[in-house]
Amino acid sequence: MLYRTAGQFKTSYAADHALFPVRQDAWLLGVIMVLAWVVFPLAASDFTFQALLIPVLIYSLAALGLNILTGYAGQLSLGTGAFMGVGAYACYKIMTIFPGLNLAVAIGLSGFFSAAVGVAFGLPSLRIKGFYLAIATLAAQFFLVWLFEKWSWLYNDSASGAIQVPNLSMFGLGVAGPTATSITQYYFVLAVVSLVTIAAINITRGRIGRMWKAVRDMDIAAELVGINLMKAKLSAFAVSSYIVGVAGALFVFLWRGAAEPNLFDIPLSFRVLFIAIIGGLGSVLGNYLGAILIVALPVILNIVPEALGIPVSSSVVEHLNVMTIGGLIIMFLIVEPHGLARFWAMIREKMIIWPFPH
Amino acid sequence: MKKLLSTTILSATFAVGMLAAAPAFAEDVLHIPNLSYRTGPFAGTGIPLMNGQRDYMTMLNERDGGVNGVKLSYEECETGYNTEKGVECYEKTKGEGIVTQPWSTGITLQVLPKSNVDKRAILAPGYGFSPMADGKTFQWAFNPPSSYWDGAQMLLSYVSGGNLDSLKGKKIALIHLDHPYGKEPIPLLEALAAKHGFTFMAIPVGLKEMQNQSAQWLQIRRENPDFVFMWGWGAMNAGAVNEAVKTKFPMEKFLGIWWSGHDGDMASAGAAAKGYRAISWNVPVNDAPVMADIKNYVADAGKSDTPADQAGWVFYQRGIAISMFLVEAVKAAQANFNTKTVDAEQVRWGLENLKIDEAKLKELGMGGMVVPFQTSCSNHTGHGGAWIIEWDGAKFNKVSDQLQADRAAIEPLEAAKAKEYADANAPWPMQECK
């Protein structure tokens, strides 16, 4: 009923392989786009921008980066937080060495630094897989955070050891730093995230994406059919770390405004990994759903008791919040082990055949 | 049917909630947000401080009906010492709140540049960025009554008997949390070491090593410094004191900053840590009239979360002192602007014209609890000095007269760092002071 596919005929292979085989998918995306580009920015307050919209987008982007590596190419990584840090510190150095540079260019460039670091730490993946590889990326995590702490050149020898985002503007409009307005920052982040998402969809649906999936499903078989494993694995590390690095630069420049090294420590890696797993490995949509669950839901739950006028202290709410989110994660994983993206796919399937289930 | 039922329950809850929320807007209130942390790895140190802050506010509401007839609404927003939650809480509270109390050097660094834009003062008593003392540059930030650099200088002058040149050839180690907070005194200590000819060494303790500092204390034993200063927080304090006891490091050579003088942290070492000293700008005075009032109006009425045996803790009474600073600023602003419900900008004026002298402390029933100080347009710290407190195995006692920092030794560095900060964040608005 809601998702009536009757009358939508495919007359060519191209149509059958289109991004939106069902017309309603495109409409739904259109609605979401209108919400994201028009309705939210017009309606949101500073709090909504800073605590909900911007972080959800940035975390989705980081999870998308990780998902390419873990979900599409099957290489487990625990170093996402550190790779985000590489992007952030690279962007900071670029912006302080070339103060006049356009921030968008700097963010684009900083991704290459994390891509290079990612490839370097991806080298062990040629020899080891699974948990062993996870340990190798864990080493990257510890090493890089240590480097952020000890290499004072990275933070321009500031006494506090933290990096601070200066006021930056593009075309006369403040985009980063304290004077930037939330709405500009939101549009900047949204534009970057949209661009990267489109690129990611195209890569994962194309030749390279199929190559990664083949490696993920069985690397020996992939090698036998002529896929160059080294190229496939390292390209996955490069693309993934590039996206993660861009997310890290956005994380500090467009959202936090300041960062100390331990921000990029292992809890951040786990957070991004949770988003990717709960959202659904091997999907693009899942990253957004996961980020909404892990990043936005706690914030919303935090304001619910107050909005209802229930007098509960903030620390109790925090404890309840941790319990609720933990419970929800377990529930979702039991109900649908393949993540929220699969959950949505099932709902969509049901809607297509409704009201006649088989 | 089931769905209908849950919808009904949900809407009923909403309706009840709305009804309950409505009367809250009926009277004049001042919203005082606090970015508290009662959860997370630093909760042990956070809870007594936040309890003290809250109990003082509750006491004023109960005893005097607020401040000049305006109720104080003290609202906590839980951060768990997490900078990410800090942003969330800052955004959440900036609408109604009249001040920001960030409670973490990391969060302070994040909100400091925003304070100019959002026009809301940051109150960071005894923490944050030391150059915040320069009121011309940091118009919206306040760290009374003493900054970390004041603390470091006072510790040096205390161990040298007032003459820093007598430290020549000696070795001073700083065991610190490897975090913006712990690194704060290093520039000053390095500068003073070069000037007075003593050796300075920084020994960082990573956030992950807080509870296992054996490597650091091995290094201390090898280097055998004449004095060890500590800039520790949370679990690190107890870890360091226990490790010092274990390696038999002489306690009389071991001194901490005010955040390392916490009764709760010392409890596990107990009598073995006797002789450990810390510098503190407040000391517990259990028979002070304000403590009696808090007991009467708050604790006995069942409105306090503080166990009776913790009311004598340094940190609990420091929380009371911090709330007092803020309330006095509100009072000053009310008097100056002749309005009861002061806004954030007026509170900033109040913080800038804060005069806490001996007479005032007596009047508030807080004589001897906190160092007297006075802020001004160009001086946002007040530089009230501090006392040395010593652990006797069960509690901290005041063992020195009031110390004063040698400001002449600190000011040049303060001015340089403030300028550096303003330049890095250009365009940075400066304030003219008469």
Side-chain angles (χ1 to χ4, degrees):
Chain A
M1 250 312 247
L2 300 162
Y3 247 84
R4 246 162 79 99
T5 49
Q8 300 185 25
F9 300 114
K10 313 283 187 307
T11 50
S12 66
Y13 282 119
D16 204 31
H17 283 113
L19 192 53
F20 304 111
V22 177
R23 209 178 294 133
Q24 281 87 341
D25 284 338
W27 293 345
L28 190 62
L29 186 73
V31 171
I32 292 171
M33 281 293 147
V34 170
L35 280 179
W37 284 91
V38 184
V39 179
F40 288 160
L42 288 178
S45 65
D46 259 7
F47 172 74
T48 322
F49 278 125
Q50 296 290 337
L52 290 169
L53 297 175
I54 297 178
V56 164
L57 286 174
I58 294 175
Y59 272 108
S60 312
L61 189 65
L64 175 64
L66 176 68
N67 224 323
I68 285 187
L69 185 65
T70 308
Y72 285 96
Q75 311 297 308
L76 197 53
S77 166
L78 294 177
T80 322
F83 296 140
M84 282 175 82
V86 174
Y89 277 89
C91 193
Y92 178 70
K93 283 311 285 188
I94 292 173
M95 285 315 295
T96 45
I97 294 171
F98 310 105
L101 199 68
N102 191 314
L103 180 65
V105 176
I107 289 177
L109 287 176
S110 52
F112 287 108
F113 287 88
S114 64
V117 175
V119 169
F121 282 99
L123 285 175
S125 71
L126 303 177
R127 310 260 314 168
I128 52 179
K129 12 180 202 190
F131 288 121
Y132 300 93
L133 180 63
I135 298 301
T137 53
L138 196 60
Q141 173 71 53
F142 289 130
F143 169 73
L144 288 169
V145 171
W146 173 84
L147 195 72
F148 300 151
E149 262 169 29
K150 303 295 169 191
W151 193 11
S152 62
W153 177 80
L154 281 178
Y155 45 87
N156 290 350
D157 304 302
S158 96
S160 60
I163 55 175
Q164 288 246 322
V165 177
N167 281 312
L168 300 169
S169 52
M170 269 168 67
F171 315 116
L173 211 59
V175 282
T179 51
T181 54
S182 297
I183 187 160
T184 344
Q185 294 191 308
Y186 171 74
Y187 272 121
F188 187 101
V189 174
L190 186 63
V192 174
V193 172
S194 308
L195 270 178
V196 176
T197 308
I198 293 169
I201 291 174
N202 279 310
I203 295 175
T204 51
R205 280 166 54 87
R207 186 180 58 88
I208 303 174
R210 279 153 207 247
M211 198 164 82
W212 289 339
K213 286 182 207 162
V215 173
R216 169 191 70 192
D217 291 342
M218 193 172 185
D219 55 352
I220 295 173
E223 203 172 7
L224 280 172
V225 297
I227 288 171
N228 183 342
L229 280 193
M230 186 174 91
K231 216 171 124 191
K233 285 181 177 176
L234 292 188
S235 65
F237 265 99
V239 172
S240 153
S241 309
Y242 182 88
I243 297 177
V244 167
V246 167
L250 292 178
F251 186 67
V252 173
F253 273 73
L254 274 299
W255 183 39
R256 305 294 292 267
E260 65 265 13
N262 71 299
L263 186 66
F264 303 105
D265 217 340
I266 196 133
L268 183 63
S269 297
F270 278 135
R271 199 148 190 232
V272 176
L273 188 64
F274 281 162
I275 293 173
I277 291 179
I278 290 157
L281 287 174
S283 87
V284 172
L285 171 72
N287 303 304
Y288 293 90
L289 300 178
I292 289 170
L293 181 74
I294 303 278
V295 181
L297 195 63
V299 178
I300 295 169
L301 285 182
N302 257 341
I303 50 180
V304 163
E306 202 182 317
L308 294 179
I310 302 167
V312 201
S313 85
S314 156
S315 52
V316 175
V317 174
E318 188 62 31
H319 287 302
L320 287 174
N321 211 332
V322 171
M323 286 190 259
T324 319
I325 298 293
L328 275 179
I329 289 173
I330 294 171
M331 190 200 85
F332 274 121
L333 288 182
I334 291 172
V335 173
E336 183 46 68
H338 295 291
L340 295 173
R342 180 89 192 95
F343 198 56
W344 162 243
M346 270 165 47
I347 293 173
R348 180 174 165 275
E349 207 64 26
K350 287 238 160 71
M351 284 202 292
I352 288 175
I353 55 175
W354 190 80
F356 304 112
H358 12 226
Chain B
M1 186 62 214
K2 211 167 147 195
K3 199 169 174 188
L4 187 70
L5 194 69
S6 60
T7 324
T8 322
I9 291 174
L10 201 70
S11 43
T13 330
F14 257 101
V16 171
M18 289 301 155
L19 285 176
F25 300 104
E27 55 183 334
D28 284 346
V29 282
L30 288 173
H31 294 276
I32 301 177
N34 194 16
L35 271 53
S36 62
Y37 46 98
R38 292 171 182 271
T39 63
F42 300 94
T45 30
I47 290 170
L49 285 163
M50 315 296 155
N51 280 345
Q53 283 189 281
R54 184 167 64 194
D55 287 358
Y56 186 74
M57 301 281 183
T58 317
M59 186 273 284
L60 289 183
N61 279 340
E62 297 292 319
R63 189 187 65 186
D64 312 334
V67 180
N68 293 328
V70 186
K71 285 263 186 202
L72 300 168
S73 165
Y74 169 82
E75 293 145 7
E76 289 188 346
C77 184
E78 180 67 29
T79 66
Y81 208 71
N82 176 338
T83 48
E84 194 168 318
K85 290 263 176 198
V87 182
E88 186 191 320
C89 283
Y90 176 78
E91 294 294 338
K92 191 163 142 186
T93 58
K94 85 177 178 191
E96 288 183 318
I98 52 169
V99 73
T100 308
Q101 305 187 72
W103 270 123
S104 133
T105 304
I107 298 175
T108 311
L109 283 172
Q110 277 183 348
V111 299
L112 189 52
K114 290 187 186 166
S115 59
N116 284 321
V117 182
D118 294 331
K119 306 265 178 242
R120 204 165 65 137
I122 294 175
L123 175 62
Y127 62 92
F129 194 45
S130 298
M132 290 194 319
D134 179 359
K136 286 185 197 135
T137 312
F138 296 100
Q139 230 182 109
W140 293 88
F142 298 85
N143 57 342
S146 290
S147 72
Y148 286 137
W149 289 357
D150 291 349
Q153 207 278 338
M154 284 188 276
L155 277 172
L156 282 174
S157 102
Y158 178 72
V159 297
S160 64
N163 175 16
L164 263 64
D165 285 324
S166 69
L167 291 170
K168 198 174 174 65
K170 296 215 165 143
K171 197 185 268 182
I172 291 178
L174 171 75
I175 182 159
H176 69 90
L177 193 65
D178 206 359
H179 201 249
Y181 150 65
K183 291 180 177 175
E184 200 47 46
I186 295 176
L188 183 82
L189 288 170
E190 275 173 347
L192 292 178
K195 190 172 161 203
H196 297 285
F198 62 88
T199 318
F200 165 71
M201 48 189 288
I203 303 175
V205 176
L207 282 172
K208 287 190 280 287
E209 304 160 330
M210 289 201 298
Q211 275 138 320
N212 176 20
Q213 301 170 22
S214 39
Q216 283 83 2
W217 284 90
L218 204 65
Q219 191 186 352
I220 289 175
R221 214 155 74 167
R222 201 170 52 231
E223 300 279 350
N224 194 20
D226 294 278
F227 293 101
V228 173
F229 294 166
M230 170 156 73
W231 249 252
W233 191 224
M236 174 180 161
N237 290 335
V241 171
N242 281 318
E243 204 64 43
V245 168
K246 209 156 80 187
T247 55
K248 300 202 167 48
F249 186 81
M251 282 295 164
E252 65 273 13
K253 291 182 174 183
F254 190 19
L255 296 98
I257 187 64
W258 35 77
W259 303 116
S260 293
H262 175 37
D263 301 69
D265 291 335
M266 305 301 292
S268 64
K274 204 172 155 192
Y276 169 79
R277 284 170 293 182
I279 189 164
S280 175
W281 43 261
N282 81 301
V283 287
V285 179
N286 295 333
D287 54 4
V290 72
M291 295 306 292
D293 282 345
I294 287 178
K295 191 173 179 308
N296 274 339
Y297 290 98
V298 186
D300 290 350
K303 289 179 177 154
S304 170
D305 284 344
T306 307
D309 59 324
Q310 291 183 9
W313 281 14
V314 181
F315 272 29
Y316 176 73
Q317 299 202 11
R318 186 173 297 163
I320 293 172
I322 289 170
S323 277
M324 181 274 282
F325 298 165
L326 185 54
V327 170
E328 289 312 303
V330 168
K331 279 189 203 163
Q334 281 176 332
N336 185 58
F337 295 99
N338 202 15
T339 169
K340 278 182 175 176
T341 48
V342 285
D343 64 20
E345 292 199 40
Q346 291 165 337
V347 170
R348 192 203 78 87
W349 185 92
L351 285 166
E352 202 166 83
N353 294 280
L354 203 53
K355 191 173 171 212
I356 310 284
D357 54 11
E358 296 281 2
K360 184 84 180 174
L361 287 171
K362 279 260 152 49
E363 181 195 321
L364 295 167
M366 296 178 76
M369 277 177 76
V370 58
V371 290
F373 66 96
Q374 185 174 2
T375 55
S376 70
C377 171
S378 59
N379 174 359
H380 278 192
T381 300
H383 309 295
W387 295 288
I388 296 287
I389 52 174
E390 185 174 321
W391 180 249
D392 68 359
K395 63 181 194 308
F396 277 107
N397 299 307
K398 184 165 93 176
V399 292
S400 80
D401 292 332
Q402 192 182 329
L403 306 171
Q404 286 293 346
D406 174 12
R407 293 290 304 152
I410 306 172
E411 264 158 12
L413 193 63
E414 229 165 53
K417 290 287 175 188
K419 188 173 179 313
E420 205 175 280
Y421 185 92
D423 289 346
N425 286 285
W428 184 266
M430 302 285 273
Q431 169 173 236
E432 290 293 322
C433 286
K434 281 190 279 289

